[in-house]
Amino acid sequence: MAGHPWVRHGYSAALLALSPLIWRRVWRENLPGRSRAERWGCIATPPTAVRTLWLHCASVGEVQAARPLIEALARRYPDRRLVLTTMTATGAKRAHAIAERLQGEGGVAEVSHHFVPLDFPGAARRFLGRLRPELAIFFETELWPNLLAACERRGVPVAVVNGRVSPRAFRGYRRLGRLMAEALSHVDWLGAKSEVDAERFRALGMVASRIVVTGSLKFDMASDDEAFGESERLHAVFGPRPVWVAGSTHEGENQAVLEAHARLRETYPEALLVLVPRHPQRFEAVAELCRSQGMAAARRSMGETVTADTSVYLGDTMGDLLALYGAADLAFVGGSLVPVGGHNLLEPAAMGVPVLTGPELANFTDVAEALRECEALVEVIDAVTLATELERLFGDAVERERLAAAGRAVVEANRGALAHTLEGLERLLQAK
């Protein structure tokens, strides 16, 4: 499909004009011992004979959602090197954890991580020239025009997996119509989460014959024995008191969660809230918010002990959300009381925990609908209704068990996207 390279040149000029702001934003996204030159495509060049698969995920949530695919690729292609890239440092830490676990098991491909280069033409060319991937895989909506064009110039087939376009993103992309059409012209295969997402990609200029509706990879969550083990340990620490988790909460949402908890404690004074902010830069602010509300908080990052007087256990570490979900009786998934679009409702469901959410679910409409159809989702609109539902469910063990079983059943019934995705990627590799 013919693109509009002149539009991409305009985009590159705009990036150059904004480069001081862009660099300031990404400067903080680094890890100790890692060179920021990776942002300009300066990575170590592997031996010429090494065949490489490249998978790019934006941040920690996408890395976690891609984990089944990462594990499947590492095991299916042990003769290839699997390189993961992320934009954020939190995503990098999660990628490193998955890589270390896989390589500790043995019998899999070499798995490593780099920061993705900024989408300047020179950085994209340098990165692709050094990495020399056999296949480039972009997760969800990570569509970087210059990186995609550089892949085509080097003859690297491009796949988009778990492809989704939220209503909000679709409106924004439509305003960049020709640029999006140019970017999508370099995509050889796209596995869409749903028919709605597929239609949106078609409307943005993706060739219809290159799109396959695979379903959501989030349903193919791998079991995590380590998370289950930590959940059991935390169960013993927390004791028999009512415990609920508010996971992946955002600024403006933490206050509502704490208000709901205060209301809940009027009926269940021994109730414990496990509060897990989405972004690490908010950990200190949320700890201070707990103190200002008069709630005794124990911080996970500091190894502080949960006692009978503890009202809030602050999950201020990365990569532990699954274990924290599994340690609770109920789970509220954040990003849903503020206009963020929600977060992964399937994580607590897969851990056998009833799921509560707010109304802002634009990023997870398909998952929410699947849970609704099986009456496995409790929806609230504010702190008051959240407290009301928590109180109701803590008083009804039978309903909690029904919700937990229904959620697990939804996860099991919708598996299959991973197999469809691997088939599509295999065809691209065979066609090279």
Side-chain angles (χ1 to χ4, degrees), residues 21-338:
L21 294 176
I22 295 170
W23 184 248
R24 188 181 310 158
R25 184 177 179 85
V26 302
W27 180 261
R28 299 186 301 270
E29 298 290 346
N30 203 46
L31 294 177
R34 296 288 291 274
S35 171
R36 287 184 170 86
E38 289 192 13
R39 299 295 189 177
W40 303 110
C42 297
I43 62 171
T45 304
T48 305
V50 173
R51 301 167 71 186
T52 300
L53 305 179
W54 167 36
L55 171 62
H56 175 61
C57 303
S59 189
V60 62
E62 290 75 17
V63 174
Q64 185 62 30
R67 182 184 157 198
L69 178 61
I70 294 168
E71 294 177 346
L73 289 172
R75 294 187 174 110
R76 186 175 181 128
Y77 302 105
D79 59 327
R80 268 94 161 178
R81 185 176 68 126
L82 177 59
V83 173
L84 311 176
T85 58
T86 63
M87 180 62 73
T88 68
T90 54
K93 290 177 182 177
R94 188 64 191 138
H96 278 299
I98 293 173
E100 287 175 2
R101 184 179 304 169
L102 278 170
Q103 295 193 293
E105 295 172 1
V108 300
E110 175 193 343
V111 185
S112 59
H113 171 270
H114 291 296
F115 284 107
V116 74
L118 298 173
D119 199 35
F120 295 101
R125 288 194 299 270
R126 191 176 303 112
F127 177 79
L128 267 295
R130 296 189 177 193
L131 186 65
R132 297 192 301 271
E134 186 178 5
L135 174 65
I137 309 166
F138 291 81
F139 196 80
E140 292 193 345
T141 50
E142 282 293 285
L143 302 174
W144 296 103
N146 284 318
L147 271 172
L148 293 171
C151 285
E152 180 166 330
R153 279 195 299 270
R154 293 192 63 87
V156 178
V158 172
V160 174
V161 301
N162 214 51
R164 68 175 182 89
V165 183
S166 70
R168 181 179 179 183
F170 182 62
R171 290 191 295 272
Y173 288 156
R174 287 294 292 267
R175 291 193 289 270
L176 301 171
R178 287 182 173 175
L179 179 61
M180 291 309 301
E182 151 64 19
L184 288 168
S185 72
H186 306 299
V187 176
D188 299 284
W189 185 84
L190 190 149
K193 282 176 56 178
S194 68
E195 184 54 50
V196 171
D197 291 296
E199 179 53 40
R200 288 173 183 157
F201 277 112
R202 286 191 286 267
L204 292 172
M206 182 69 194
V207 176
S209 61
R210 298 182 183 180
I211 301 175
V212 175
V213 177
T214 59
S216 174
L217 282 168
K218 291 183 170 72
F219 286 103
D220 287 271
M221 291 178 62
S223 61
D224 191 327
D225 293 338
E226 186 176 328
F228 278 112
E230 177 62 6
S231 294
E232 289 300 312
R233 189 191 72 78
L234 288 170
H235 267 302
V237 170
F238 296 157
R241 64 199 297 187
V243 179
W244 69 289
V245 172
S248 294
T249 55
H250 285 253
E251 186 174 2
E253 194 168 43
N254 295 299
Q255 179 64 51
V257 166
L258 290 173
E259 180 185 338
H261 189 52
R263 289 174 177 271
L264 175 67
R265 282 171 65 88
E266 293 174 4
T267 306
Y268 294 94
E270 73 279 23
L272 176 69
L273 164 64
V274 181
L275 180 55
V276 190
R278 177 70 174 182
H279 299 116
Q281 58 267 35
R282 294 288 303 162
F283 289 162
E284 289 298 330
V286 175
E288 178 56 37
L289 181 61
C290 292
R291 287 190 289 269
S292 71
Q293 299 296 308
M295 294 189 178
R299 299 186 64 168
R300 182 173 175 83
S301 65
M302 298 180 181
E304 294 176 345
T305 303
V306 175
T307 69
D309 295 326
T310 304
S311 175
V312 178
Y313 183 52
L314 186 59
D316 54 350
T317 55
M318 299 304 298
D320 294 333
L321 184 55
L322 271 181
L324 294 170
Y325 275 141
D329 303 298
L330 299 169
F332 169 78
V333 181
S336 60
L337 287 177
V338 289

